[in-house]
Amino acid sequence: MSRPTSAPGRLARYGFGTGQGDGGARAADLLGPDGLDLWRLDAQEPVDERAAELLAALSRAADPDLALRQLHRIVEAERRARAGAGSELLDALHADPGLRRRVVAVLGASSALGDHLVANPDQWSVLRTGPDGCAPVADGRLEPAGDGNPVAALRQAYRLALLRIAAADLTGGRALEQTMAALSALADATLAAACELAVGELPEGTPRPRLAVVAMGKCGGDELNYVSDVDVIFVAAEDDDLTAATTVATRLIHICGLVAWPVDAALRPEGKRGPLVRTLASHLAYYRRWARTWEFQALLKARPAAGDLALAQEWIDQLAPLVWRAAERPEAVEDVRAMRRRIIDNIPPKELDREIKRGPGGLRDIEFAVQLLQLVHGRVDESLRVPGTIPALGALVAGGYVGRADGEALLRGYRFLRTVEHRLQLQGLRRTHTVPDEPAGLRWLAAALGYAATPGRSAVEEFRAEWVTHASEVRRLHAKLLYRPLLESVARVPADGLRLTPEAARHRLEILGFGDPAGALRHLEALTGGVSRTAAIQRTLLPVLLSEFADAPEPDRGLLSYRQVSDKLGSTPWYLRLLRDEGPVARRLARVLSSSRYATDLLAREPEALRLLAEESELAPRPREVLHEGFSAAAGRHTDPVEATRAIRALRRRELVRIACADLLCRAGSLAPTPTRPDGAGRRAPGLADVTAVGTALADVTDATLAAALRTARGTQPTVPGLRFAVIGMGRLGGYESNYLSDADVLFVYDAPAGTDERAASAAAHGVAEELRRLLGVPAPDPPLGVDADLRPEGRQGPLARSLAAYAQYYARWSRVWEAQALLRARFVCGDADLGAEFEAMVDPVRYPVDGLTREQIVEIRRIKARVENERLPRGADPATHTKLGRGGLADVEWAVQLLQLRHAGAVPALRGTRTLDALAAARDAGLLDAADADAMAAGWSLAAQVRNALMLVRGRAGDQLPRHGVELAGVVRLLGADDPGEFLDEYLRTARRSRAAMERVFDA
């Protein structure tokens, strides 16, 4: 290949023209006699040795063309200012090699700083090498000058300080840590200067307020980058300072925005909705009562920055005890995990793979891992109480909380990613964390980072390869520290295989997410201590169990529950044998104990019920006939009605354990849900995926409980010959849609033979109903079954039991449309079957009117629905996520379905059923409802019912409000088989919105 013979061709060897695509022609113009006069066009060579040195320096710039263009612009600006005289800058660059390196590095890496030097062509002098041969100090000091506008002077001083820092950074004069510290110090100095300016602008005679400016975020951690909002919190000493302090803080924010960067005070209590400045006492009150985990996480980087530094330090010291107790919250670890997932979820998909800050394997992965470990271990190890990521990581490695190799890998990844971030931001002095995807931008970035081509690979490919390596390693270690640490190391093992000291095991338990690692260790020691066979089996089992506990939102609760069950059954010969020898039992038990307070409470009352976990067939709900026979037999073995009822309730508890465990384990993958059969026969274990199976199984158990209790209650009351008595199921019981904590909504109906004293019959029936409710509500270790008869005519003011004739008379003369609506779910439950059938036949014309509804009745239903929405939703409830009364939830769908039944069931027999989803499908099939609307409402109802059941399983108590964060949300999401709470909430809201819209179309039709 012949050597280049043209001037542009020769200049291309210096790297000029690569980005321009002109082979160096533009560079020849700028360097020739009419430009910088550094290049002989005729001889195709530098004009002299000094020019050759400058050209060589320009060729080493990140972007030689950019460096050359900006140098030319500065020299031209100089010449204009000096009326055509020579360039002082060029003379200085020839004479001062250090200045040459610094100026060229800045001009080739930052178009923004180049523009600043063009506008201020004398300010390059701040980069001169000192008389002692040293580079200019780049420590973030501000040196405002001039008697004019103080804000303008401060801006000039800030840019000069930034110029010195960038020059030292780009030429290797400062390491990453020193650069971040210098930028943070510059931010401190800017905040302090702005604070003084703001104080000076206060009205004459206004006392100087005691105002502290606390640095947060990257500035607080002494790890600020070139372009970033500076996070602060403002603290006043006393209430008397608040007005003036707020004035100063507001003006400070404005000044800093004009000088350097936005000041962001959104990390303050209540965020942007809260007051800009609070007193120290107000801050303490907020953090003690209201602060969430992420707010304590943010306080890890708090540092005095400006204003009253003593007050800032006092604020930090006062809050420190709260910060170092934050990890004791049950939801703390999951909160940190969830916050990290939400950050990733909010990244635009097109930027996800290019985000070095928030994306997977980015800076946030490192910071969140380090901060979680700080929160957990810093409670007892004060060496971890440092604000910066790099110092904190070093302390974690030194303390043994992070392995040396892992710590070094995280440190390398952090330095790499922060350096990339610095170069990206320095180019245009704009806030960015996204690697460019266009070829020219990638070439510039690779060059700015110092990458060069190697045989077979370009500089860009070299950069990409290292980026991928760091990102994948960071992501792996993030997952290891936050999600998947080695669980085996926590368990106590035989002495010859001991892996960890108790202290080290405690640390690992903390990493796993145990909120009380010391307590967890005590449980482990109690379970595995000694040389008995029991201890040996426990040492084998515990690693398996801990893997389940650690994945749960509340690992401590799972381990505690296991300890309690083991204490009760550990001496029985079958218990540990069952766990050891029956493969799925141990995992099933761990899943149940770690997922559900409801199931755990039931097992605590009857630990032997865990035998049900051994066989999948044992977890299948019992057929209806089997339940009735079993409950009746249990009651029949006792003559005392209280003891008989206790036996009934104990059997009910066992069936609740069966259903709850099957429900939980289907989602764990241990059992598979199967479709429900209406008769309840031959069903296998239901799962939350099939919420109708759960509702039917629970309703069957309630029916059997009421039937057995009714026989017991009738045996305690005076008899009336020939008196017939029946219990009619209403509400969710009538619709086979019971949940785990549902009361039994019922009506009591009786009928006496002709000639019977009505008063005596009424008294006997009333006595039976009262005794039934009393027996099932007697305090006992078993869950009570509330029997609610408030849907009867006249509600609580009406008689508890009515004759069939009285019901007929009432519904014929007095009933309102809402009562007909309630009767849509009425079905016979127990007692006299013929009477139950007669009652159903009697109410059919009421609930399935032949002529449908009048216009007035439809308006009344709409009015009642609106009133329910406005008045029944609990105060403070979120209507978007309230499963029962919220938008698109259970009530919305049920009201829509019931309106269709009332209007059309008289003519369409297929609509005459008590189950919501069956009636919904029938309405669709009959053409009364658009198929898409039917599907939307079915999805909304099913999801709301699943969430409601899951909430009860997780919490162990009734509740209809799906939380938007915290351990309960995490538990619900885990039970429902989802991975990300944020995604799940979004899906719930979407489903509910569609369901609501479909309901409104039904009501508007």
Coordinates of all heavy atoms in Angstrom, one line a residue, residues 416-472:
F416 N -15.5 0.9 37.0 CA -15.7 0.9 35.5 C -17.0 1.7 35.1 O -17.0 2.6 34.3 CB -15.8 -0.5 35.0 CG -16.3 -0.6 33.5 CD1 -15.4 -0.5 32.5 CD2 -17.6 -0.8 33.2 CE1 -15.8 -0.6 31.2 CE2 -18.0 -0.9 31.9 CZ -17.1 -0.8 30.9
L417 N -18.1 1.4 35.8 CA -19.4 2.0 35.4 C -19.4 3.5 35.8 O -19.9 4.3 35.0 CB -20.5 1.3 36.2 CG -20.8 -0.2 35.8 CD1 -21.7 -0.8 36.8 CD2 -21.4 -0.2 34.4
R418 N -18.8 3.9 36.9 CA -18.7 5.3 37.2 C -17.9 6.1 36.2 O -18.1 7.2 35.9 CB -18.2 5.5 38.6 CG -19.2 5.1 39.7 CD -20.6 5.7 39.6 NE -20.6 7.2 39.5 CZ -20.7 8.0 40.6 NH1 -20.8 7.4 41.8 NH2 -20.7 9.3 40.5
T419 N -16.8 5.4 35.8 CA -15.9 6.1 34.8 C -16.6 6.3 33.5 O -16.6 7.4 32.9 CB -14.6 5.3 34.6 OG1 -13.9 5.1 35.9 CG2 -13.7 6.0 33.6
V420 N -17.4 5.3 33.1 CA -18.2 5.4 31.9 C -19.2 6.5 32.0 O -19.4 7.4 31.2 CB -18.9 4.1 31.6 CG1 -19.9 4.3 30.4 CG2 -17.9 3.0 31.2
E421 N -19.8 6.6 33.2 CA -20.8 7.6 33.5 C -20.2 9.0 33.4 O -20.7 10.0 32.8 CB -21.5 7.4 34.8 CG -22.5 8.4 35.2 CD -23.0 8.2 36.6 OE1 -22.2 8.0 37.6 OE2 -24.2 8.2 36.8
H422 N -19.0 9.1 34.0 CA -18.3 10.4 34.0 C -18.0 10.9 32.5 O -18.2 12.0 32.2 CB -17.0 10.3 34.8 CG -17.2 10.4 36.2 ND1 -16.2 10.6 37.1 CD2 -18.4 10.4 37.0 CE1 -16.7 10.7 38.4 NE2 -18.0 10.6 38.3
R423 N -17.5 10.0 31.7 CA -17.2 10.3 30.3 C -18.4 10.7 29.6 O -18.4 11.7 28.8 CB -16.4 9.2 29.6 CG -15.1 8.8 30.3 CD -14.1 10.0 30.2 NE -12.9 9.7 30.9 CZ -12.7 10.0 32.2 NH1 -13.6 10.6 32.9 NH2 -11.5 9.6 32.8
L424 N -19.5 10.0 29.8 CA -20.7 10.3 29.1 C -21.2 11.7 29.4 O -21.6 12.5 28.6 CB -21.8 9.3 29.4 CG -21.7 7.9 28.8 CD1 -22.7 6.9 29.4 CD2 -21.8 8.0 27.2
Q425 N -21.2 12.0 30.7 CA -21.7 13.3 31.2 C -20.8 14.5 30.8 O -21.2 15.6 30.6 CB -21.9 13.3 32.7 CG -23.0 12.3 33.0 CD -23.4 12.3 34.5 OE1 -22.6 12.9 35.3 NE2 -24.5 11.7 34.9
L426 N -19.5 14.2 30.8 CA -18.5 15.3 30.6 C -18.6 15.8 29.1 O -18.3 16.9 28.9 CB -17.1 14.7 30.9 CG -16.0 15.8 31.0 CD1 -16.3 16.8 32.1 CD2 -14.7 15.0 31.4
Q427 N -19.0 14.9 28.2 CA -19.0 15.3 26.8 C -19.8 16.6 26.6 O -19.3 17.5 26.0 CB -19.5 14.2 26.0 CG -19.5 14.5 24.5 CD -20.0 13.3 23.6 OE1 -20.9 12.6 24.1 NE2 -19.5 13.1 22.4
G428 N -21.1 16.5 27.0 CA -21.9 17.7 26.8 C -22.4 18.4 28.1 O -23.2 19.2 28.1
L429 N -21.8 18.0 29.2 CA -22.2 18.4 30.6 C -23.7 18.4 30.7 O -24.4 19.3 31.0 CB -21.7 19.9 30.8 CG -20.2 20.0 31.2 CD1 -19.9 21.4 31.5 CD2 -19.8 19.0 32.3
R430 N -24.2 17.2 30.4 CA -25.7 16.9 30.5 C -25.9 15.6 31.3 O -25.0 14.7 31.2 CB -26.4 16.9 29.2 CG -26.0 15.8 28.3 CD -26.7 15.9 26.9 NE -26.4 14.8 26.1 CZ -27.0 13.6 26.1 NH1 -28.0 13.4 26.9 NH2 -26.6 12.6 25.3
R431 N -27.0 15.5 31.9 CA -27.3 14.3 32.7 C -27.6 13.2 31.9 O -28.7 13.2 31.2 CB -28.4 14.6 33.7 CG -28.7 13.5 34.7 CD -29.8 14.0 35.6 NE -30.1 12.9 36.6 CZ -31.1 13.1 37.5 NH1 -31.7 14.2 37.6 NH2 -31.3 12.1 38.4
T432 N -26.8 12.1 31.9 CA -27.1 10.9 31.1 C -26.5 9.7 31.7 O -25.4 9.9 32.4 CB -26.7 11.1 29.6 OG1 -27.0 9.9 28.9 CG2 -25.2 11.3 29.5
H433 N -27.1 8.6 31.6 CA -26.5 7.3 32.1 C -26.7 6.2 31.0 O -26.6 5.0 31.3 CB -27.3 6.9 33.4 CG -27.5 8.0 34.3 ND1 -26.5 8.5 35.1 CD2 -28.6 8.7 34.6 CE1 -27.0 9.5 35.9 NE2 -28.3 9.6 35.6
T434 N -26.9 6.7 29.8 CA -27.2 5.7 28.7 C -26.1 5.7 27.7 O -25.7 6.7 27.2 CB -28.5 6.1 28.0 OG1 -29.5 6.2 29.0 CG2 -28.9 5.0 27.0
V435 N -25.5 4.5 27.5 CA -24.5 4.3 26.5 C -25.1 4.6 25.1 O -26.2 4.0 24.8 CB -23.9 2.9 26.6 CG1 -22.9 2.7 25.4 CG2 -23.2 2.7 27.9
P436 N -24.4 5.4 24.2 CA -25.0 5.6 22.9 C -25.0 4.4 22.1 O -24.3 3.4 22.3 CB -24.0 6.6 22.3 CG -22.7 6.5 23.1 CD -23.1 6.0 24.5
D437 N -26.0 4.3 21.1 CA -26.1 3.2 20.3 C -25.6 3.5 18.8 O -25.5 2.6 18.0 CB -27.5 2.6 20.2 CG -28.5 3.7 19.9 OD1 -28.1 4.8 19.7 OD2 -29.7 3.4 19.9
E438 N -25.4 4.8 18.5 CA -24.9 5.1 17.2 C -23.4 4.8 17.1 O -22.7 5.1 18.1 CB -25.2 6.5 16.8 CG -24.5 7.6 17.5 CD -25.1 7.9 18.9 OE1 -26.1 7.2 19.3 OE2 -24.7 8.9 19.5
P439 N -22.8 4.4 16.0 CA -21.4 4.0 15.9 C -20.5 5.2 16.3 O -19.5 5.0 17.0 CB -21.3 3.7 14.4 CG -22.6 3.2 14.0 CD -23.6 4.1 14.7
A440 N -20.8 6.4 15.8 CA -19.8 7.5 16.1 C -19.8 7.8 17.6 O -18.7 8.0 18.2 CB -20.3 8.8 15.4
G441 N -20.9 7.7 18.3 CA -20.9 7.9 19.8 C -20.2 6.8 20.5 O -19.5 7.1 21.5
L442 N -20.3 5.6 20.0 CA -19.6 4.5 20.6 C -18.1 4.6 20.4 O -17.3 4.3 21.3 CB -20.1 3.2 20.1 CG -21.4 2.6 20.7 CD1 -21.9 1.5 19.9 CD2 -21.2 2.3 22.2
R443 N -17.7 5.0 19.2 CA -16.2 5.2 19.0 C -15.7 6.3 19.9 O -14.6 6.1 20.4 CB -16.0 5.6 17.5 CG -16.2 4.4 16.5 CD -15.6 4.7 15.2 NE -16.2 5.9 14.6 CZ -17.3 5.8 13.8 NH1 -17.8 4.7 13.5 NH2 -17.8 6.9 13.2
W444 N -16.4 7.4 20.0 CA -15.9 8.5 20.9 C -15.8 8.0 22.3 O -14.8 8.2 23.0 CB -16.9 9.6 20.9 CG -16.5 10.6 21.9 CD1 -15.6 11.6 21.9 CD2 -17.1 10.7 23.3 NE1 -15.5 12.3 23.1 CE2 -16.4 11.7 24.0 CE3 -18.0 9.9 23.9 CZ2 -16.7 12.0 25.3 CZ3 -18.3 10.2 25.3 CH2 -17.6 11.2 25.9
L445 N -16.8 7.2 22.8 CA -16.8 6.8 24.2 C -15.6 5.8 24.4 O -14.9 5.9 25.4 CB -18.1 6.1 24.5 CG -18.3 5.6 26.0 CD1 -18.0 6.6 27.0 CD2 -19.6 4.9 26.2
A446 N -15.4 4.9 23.5 CA -14.3 3.9 23.7 C -13.0 4.7 23.7 O -12.1 4.4 24.6 CB -14.4 2.9 22.6
A447 N -12.8 5.7 22.9 CA -11.6 6.4 22.9 C -11.4 7.2 24.1 O -10.3 7.3 24.7 CB -11.5 7.4 21.6
A448 N -12.5 7.9 24.6 CA -12.5 8.6 25.8 C -12.1 7.8 27.0 O -11.5 8.3 28.0 CB -13.8 9.3 26.1
L449 N -12.5 6.5 27.0 CA -12.2 5.6 28.1 C -10.8 5.0 27.9 O -10.4 4.2 28.8 CB -13.2 4.5 28.2 CG -14.6 5.0 28.6 CD1 -15.6 3.9 28.4 CD2 -14.6 5.3 30.1
G450 N -10.1 5.3 26.8 CA -8.7 4.8 26.7 C -8.6 3.5 26.0 O -7.6 2.8 26.0
Y451 N -9.7 3.0 25.4 CA -9.6 1.7 24.7 C -9.0 1.9 23.3 O -9.2 2.9 22.6 CB -11.0 1.1 24.5 CG -11.6 0.6 25.8 CD1 -12.4 1.4 26.5 CD2 -11.3 -0.7 26.2 CE1 -12.9 0.9 27.7 CE2 -11.8 -1.2 27.4 CZ -12.6 -0.3 28.2 OH -13.1 -0.8 29.4
A452 N -8.2 0.9 22.9 CA -7.6 0.9 21.6 C -7.9 -0.4 20.9 O -8.2 -1.5 21.5 CB -6.1 1.1 21.7
A453 N -7.8 -0.4 19.6 CA -8.0 -1.6 18.8 C -6.9 -2.7 19.1 O -5.8 -2.3 19.4 CB -8.1 -1.3 17.3
T454 N -7.3 -3.9 19.1 CA -6.4 -5.0 19.2 C -6.5 -5.9 18.0 O -7.5 -5.8 17.3 CB -6.7 -5.8 20.5 OG1 -8.0 -6.3 20.5 CG2 -6.5 -5.0 21.8
P455 N -5.6 -6.8 17.8 CA -5.7 -7.7 16.6 C -7.1 -8.4 16.6 O -7.4 -9.2 17.6 CB -4.6 -8.7 16.8 CG -3.5 -7.9 17.5 CD -4.3 -7.0 18.5
G456 N -7.9 -8.2 15.6 CA -9.2 -8.9 15.5 C -10.3 -8.2 16.2 O -11.4 -8.7 16.1
R457 N -10.1 -7.1 16.9 CA -11.2 -6.5 17.7 C -11.0 -5.0 17.7 O -9.9 -4.5 18.0 CB -11.2 -7.1 19.1 CG -12.6 -6.9 19.7 CD -13.0 -8.0 20.6 NE -12.2 -8.0 21.8 CZ -12.5 -8.8 22.9 NH1 -13.6 -9.5 22.9 NH2 -11.8 -8.8 23.9
S458 N -12.0 -4.2 17.4 CA -11.9 -2.8 17.4 C -12.0 -2.3 18.9 O -12.3 -3.0 19.8 CB -13.1 -2.2 16.6 OG -14.3 -2.4 17.3
A459 N -11.7 -1.0 19.0 CA -11.8 -0.4 20.3 C -13.2 -0.5 20.9 O -13.4 -0.7 22.1 CB -11.3 1.1 20.3
V460 N -14.2 -0.3 20.1 CA -15.6 -0.4 20.5 C -15.9 -1.8 21.0 O -16.5 -2.0 22.0 CB -16.6 0.0 19.4 CG1 -18.0 -0.3 19.8 CG2 -16.4 1.5 19.1
E461 N -15.4 -2.8 20.3 CA -15.6 -4.2 20.7 C -14.9 -4.5 22.0 O -15.4 -5.2 22.8 CB -15.2 -5.1 19.6 CG -16.1 -5.1 18.4 CD -15.5 -5.8 17.2 OE1 -14.2 -5.9 17.1 OE2 -16.3 -6.3 16.3
E462 N -13.7 -3.9 22.2 CA -13.0 -4.1 23.4 C -13.8 -3.5 24.6 O -14.0 -4.1 25.7 CB -11.6 -3.4 23.4 CG -10.6 -4.1 22.5 CD -10.1 -5.3 23.2 OE1 -10.2 -5.5 24.4 OE2 -9.5 -6.2 22.5
F463 N -14.3 -2.3 24.4 CA -15.2 -1.7 25.4 C -16.4 -2.5 25.7 O -16.7 -2.8 26.9 CB -15.6 -0.3 25.0 CG -16.8 0.3 25.7 CD1 -16.7 0.6 27.1 CD2 -18.0 0.4 25.0 CE1 -17.8 1.1 27.7 CE2 -19.1 0.9 25.7 CZ -19.0 1.2 27.0
R464 N -17.1 -2.9 24.7 CA -18.3 -3.7 24.9 C -18.0 -5.0 25.6 O -18.8 -5.4 26.5 CB -19.0 -4.0 23.5 CG -19.8 -2.9 22.9 CD -20.6 -3.4 21.7 NE -21.5 -2.4 21.2 CZ -22.7 -2.1 21.7 NH1 -23.1 -2.7 22.8 NH2 -23.4 -1.2 21.2
A465 N -16.9 -5.7 25.3 CA -16.6 -6.9 26.0 C -16.4 -6.7 27.4 O -16.9 -7.5 28.3 CB -15.4 -7.5 25.3
E466 N -15.7 -5.6 27.8 CA -15.5 -5.4 29.2 C -16.7 -5.0 29.9 O -17.0 -5.3 31.1 CB -14.4 -4.3 29.4 CG -14.0 -4.1 30.9 CD -12.7 -3.4 31.0 OE1 -12.0 -3.1 30.0 OE2 -12.3 -3.1 32.2
W467 N -17.6 -4.2 29.2 CA -18.8 -3.8 29.8 C -19.7 -5.0 30.1 O -20.3 -5.1 31.2 CB -19.5 -2.8 28.8 CG -20.9 -2.3 29.3 CD1 -21.3 -2.2 30.6 CD2 -21.9 -1.8 28.5 NE1 -22.6 -1.7 30.6 CE2 -23.0 -1.4 29.3 CE3 -22.0 -1.6 27.1 CZ2 -24.2 -0.9 28.8 CZ3 -23.2 -1.1 26.6 CH2 -24.3 -0.7 27.5
V468 N -19.8 -5.9 29.2 CA -20.6 -7.1 29.4 C -20.1 -7.9 30.5 O -20.8 -8.4 31.4 CB -20.7 -7.9 28.1 CG1 -21.3 -9.3 28.4 CG2 -21.5 -7.2 27.0
T469 N -18.8 -8.0 30.6 CA -18.1 -8.8 31.7 C -18.5 -8.2 33.1 O -18.9 -8.9 34.0 CB -16.6 -8.8 31.5 OG1 -16.3 -9.5 30.3 CG2 -16.0 -9.6 32.7
H470 N -18.3 -6.9 33.2 CA -18.6 -6.2 34.5 C -20.1 -6.3 34.8 O -20.5 -6.6 35.9 CB -18.2 -4.7 34.4 CG -16.7 -4.6 34.5 ND1 -16.0 -5.0 35.7 CD2 -15.8 -4.0 33.7 CE1 -14.7 -4.7 35.5 NE2 -14.6 -4.1 34.3
A471 N -20.9 -6.0 33.8 CA -22.4 -6.0 34.1 C -22.9 -7.4 34.5 O -23.7 -7.5 35.5 CB -23.1 -5.5 32.8
S472 N -22.4 -8.4 33.9 CA -22.9 -9.8 34.2 C -22.4 -10.1 35.6 O -23.1 -10.8 36.4 CB -22.5 -10.8 33.2 OG -21.1 -10.8 33.1

